[in-house]
Amino acid sequence: MQVKFSEDVVPLSDLKINPGKVVSRTQSTHRPILLTSRGRGVAVVQGLEEFEKTAEELRFVKAVAQGLMDVREGNTVSLADAKKTLGIN
């Protein structure tokens, strides 16, 4: 999801005039749109599917990072203990 600044920066006034067009563009390009006011970024409009995908990827990356920290700090259990806890033979 790479932002193309030549296409994906829209003045807030354009959103006010034609919100459907802005939303349609996010859905067709699968990229977020940066909304600006007086030349400064103020918000991002993103399609729901892309938002959910990004949120899921972020949760996964955080879980992996937490797992790596746990291993580094020695917060682990043996495979046998994990199987016993989960009731797996």
Side-chain angles (χ1 to χ4, degrees):
M1 175 173 43
Q2 183 73 24
V3 175
K4 291 186 177 180
F5 289 106
S6 62
E7 299 174 20
D8 299 334
V9 177
V10 173
L12 190 57
S13 58
D14 286 6
L15 179 69
K16 291 177 185 176
I17 293 168
N18 195 346
K21 182 178 178 182
V22 174
V23 171
S24 292
R25 188 183 320 170
T26 65
Q27 292 173 337
S28 66
T29 64
H30 302 283
R31 295 189 312 260
I33 292 181
L34 173 64
L35 298 175
T36 60
S37 178
R38 298 181 182 164
R40 294 195 134 142
V42 294
V44 173
V45 176
Q46 184 177 21
L48 182 58
E49 273 186 39
E50 293 300 316
F51 174 80
E52 289 173 339
K53 179 181 172 188
T54 300
E56 184 177 328
E57 289 171 352
L58 180 58
R59 282 191 300 274
F60 176 78
V61 169
K62 284 182 176 182
V64 169
Q66 182 62 53
L68 292 172
M69 285 176 37
D70 286 343
V71 168
R72 185 179 302 142
E73 294 171 1
N75 298 331
T76 61
V77 297
S78 69
L79 179 58
D81 288 343
K83 285 182 174 182
K84 184 178 177 182
T85 300
L86 295 172
I88 300 171
N89 294 325

